[in-house]
Amino acid sequence: MDLQVTPISGINSPMPIVVSGLAPGANLELKVKTVDAANRLFSSTTVFKANSDGVVDTSKHLPQDAGWVTPSSLGVLWKMMAQDGKDATFAVDGLNPMRVEVQARVEGEKGKGTHVTRTISRRAREITPLPVSCKGRAFCPDEPGPFPLVVLFGGAGGGVDSASAAVLAHHGVAVFSYDYFPRKKGGVVDVDAVRRMLRGIRLLPEIDSSLPVALCGTGRGAELALLIASLEPNLVGAVVAHSPTDVLSAWPDKDSQPDVFVGSGLPKVTIKAPGKQDVAADWHAFIQPKLKGQPWRLRAYYDSAREHTKDIEAAAIEVEKMSGPLLLTAGSEDAVWDSASMSLTLQLRASDVEVFRYVAKGAGHNVGYPFYFPGLPAQKTMNAYGYRIALGGHSVTNGQASVDSRVQVISFLRSAFGLED
């Protein structure tokens, strides 16, 4: 048996595994495992059947239990799950690489193993120090600047997406991941403070302040990006909004509905919980999952909240005021809110700017690069609002959506900034 894998590759590049010297038709068991930045073990086991030449090539052959329709060398990574039994999010940190162990064996024969290093970026460096108001981490290409600036707003899970910033900086831009979302229930995001932060970080010598800032957000971060773009058309240019909402929405809770975003110039109405108008929505979103030990499924709750809002137009994010361009992505099986329909509303409303919209069939809430990597385990849930939240979709459809999103986001941002390929 001969096992071949490229020993060093980018974390989002293909990772073909080729095993030769097998008996034709032999069942080959491929196991991949790795430890994430939070020291959790992830692994997957996949069985392939050798072809008539006694070869298995994960980039060309489907496994016997294929959950994906066309061959993909990343499929064995999408399938990885935390071995502590918890539906954990795979943690990555800054420029620290991912180290993968690959094992190949056929029953009754001696197996083979090797290790692969998956790098975040070999062409990026961290920017330090940052202004005090800029809570987060920033990266830029490891070459003379200045560079266009992209600011990342993650979802309701909060924290700093440092690896996301580092991997995007590989493509010729400076990237700042801003830690903005409140950790405790009832906490708010001061949009005016975020606007001041954007003006402050542009003063860094690594940033080309002559160019508009690009914003990239997912979920709540997409909501924030669209709000700021509508309020600051002279400061913000290109916007990437993954799994967006088209309206201002409150903190999800069956008992109270504090605002998430506060500040000047925001929509006059915030979508609130339906409450007594629709007790079934509360039951399905919060109570039943808690009784069954399952994650919240928020989509019906947000659908009902929207339906019971009398003046929905007063809650609309005024994307018609942004200077654009705009890239919208959504999953058709988003379990958080109906981002596919709301992205269409945003597209129609932003009629004066160039809009690109992509809906990933069968994918959930977690479709957007660089927040979700094509070369990592596909996330099914996330910690947000103090609970575990279902994201929807399937590991395979979510993984493929991340592959597509990576190509779209890189092309969109490079085009928006006029960067050469």
Side-chain angles (χ1 to χ4, degrees), residues 151-405:
V151 176
L152 303 183
F153 298 132
V160 178
D161 296 294
S162 59
S164 299
V167 79
L168 192 57
H170 182 88
H171 299 283
V173 293
V175 189
F176 173 56
S177 177
Y178 185 43
D179 185 7
Y180 74 95
F181 202 82
R183 301 296 195 277
K184 296 181 180 179
K185 177 182 175 181
V188 297
V189 179
D190 184 346
V191 175
D192 292 329
V194 180
R195 294 162 72 178
R196 291 192 295 271
M197 177 278 296
L198 289 176
R199 286 180 164 79
I201 197 168
R202 293 179 81 213
L203 300 178
L204 290 171
E206 292 86 353
I207 307 304
D208 186 346
S209 59
S210 69
L211 297 173
V213 177
L215 304 180
C216 179
T218 181
R220 285 292 190 184
E223 185 177 357
L224 177 59
L226 293 169
L227 285 168
I228 293 178
S230 68
L231 295 167
E232 297 279 5
N234 294 322
L235 174 65
V236 176
V239 174
V240 178
H242 299 306
S243 304
T245 171
D246 65 321
V247 291
L248 193 63
S249 303
W251 192 286
D253 192 277
K254 67 182 183 64
D255 299 315
S256 61
Q257 306 91 48
D259 290 341
V260 173
F261 299 107
V262 298
S264 57
L266 298 183
K268 297 178 181 179
V269 172
T270 300
I271 300 295
K272 300 284 187 178
K276 294 181 180 179
Q277 298 177 86
D278 188 358
V279 293
D282 283 348
W283 167 260
H284 290 298
F286 307 113
I287 303 171
Q288 187 181 53
K290 185 175 182 180
L291 293 174
K292 292 184 175 182
Q294 298 174 347
W296 280 0
R297 298 190 67 86
L298 295 178
R299 179 159 173 167
Y301 159 84
Y302 278 117
D303 286 347
S304 182
R306 186 186 187 96
E307 181 183 343
H308 289 92
T309 300
K310 294 181 180 179
D311 191 359
I312 192 71
E313 284 302 315
I317 301 173
E318 296 177 307
V319 290
E320 62 272 18
K321 294 182 178 180
M322 64 181 288
S323 58
L326 175 60
L327 172 62
L328 301 163
T329 63
S332 66
E333 301 301 319
D334 190 334
V336 176
W337 51 35
D338 188 1
S339 57
S341 293
M342 291 190 288
S343 65
L344 177 59
T345 301
L346 288 166
Q347 181 181 27
L348 296 174
R349 190 176 291 146
S351 56
D352 291 335
V353 299
E354 192 173 21
V355 182
F356 305 90
R357 175 174 172 263
Y358 169 71
V359 177
K361 186 177 180 181
H365 192 72
N366 49 330
V367 297
Y369 185 82
F371 302 100
Y372 302 101
F373 288 6
L376 291 183
Q379 195 172 330
K380 298 178 182 178
T381 64
M382 69 175 178
N383 285 318
Y385 311 113
Y387 295 90
R388 201 74 179 154
I389 309 296
L391 298 174
H394 181 273
S395 59
V396 173
T397 51
N398 292 341
Q400 186 58 56
S402 297
V403 173
D404 296 340
S405 179

Side-chain angles (χ1 to χ4, degrees), residues 15-88:
M15 194 185 80
I17 301 170
V18 180
V19 183
S20 57
L22 304 171
N27 287 331
L28 176 74
E29 182 182 274
L30 278 181
K31 184 173 185 177
V32 294
K33 58 182 180 179
T34 186
V35 176
D36 75 352
N39 205 34
R40 289 181 300 246
L41 174 64
F42 284 72
S43 70
S44 72
T45 300
T46 311
V47 178
F48 291 81
K49 184 180 289 291
N51 66 11
S52 58
D53 296 321
V55 175
V56 166
D57 183 341
T58 59
S59 68
K60 298 177 181 178
H61 303 150
L62 286 170
Q64 289 187 311
D65 58 345
W68 47 101
V69 178
T70 56
S72 173
S73 65
L74 298 176
V76 295
L77 300 175
W78 299 339
K79 286 181 57 179
M80 287 197 299
M81 298 181 65
Q83 294 308 290
D84 59 7
K86 298 179 181 179
D87 188 13

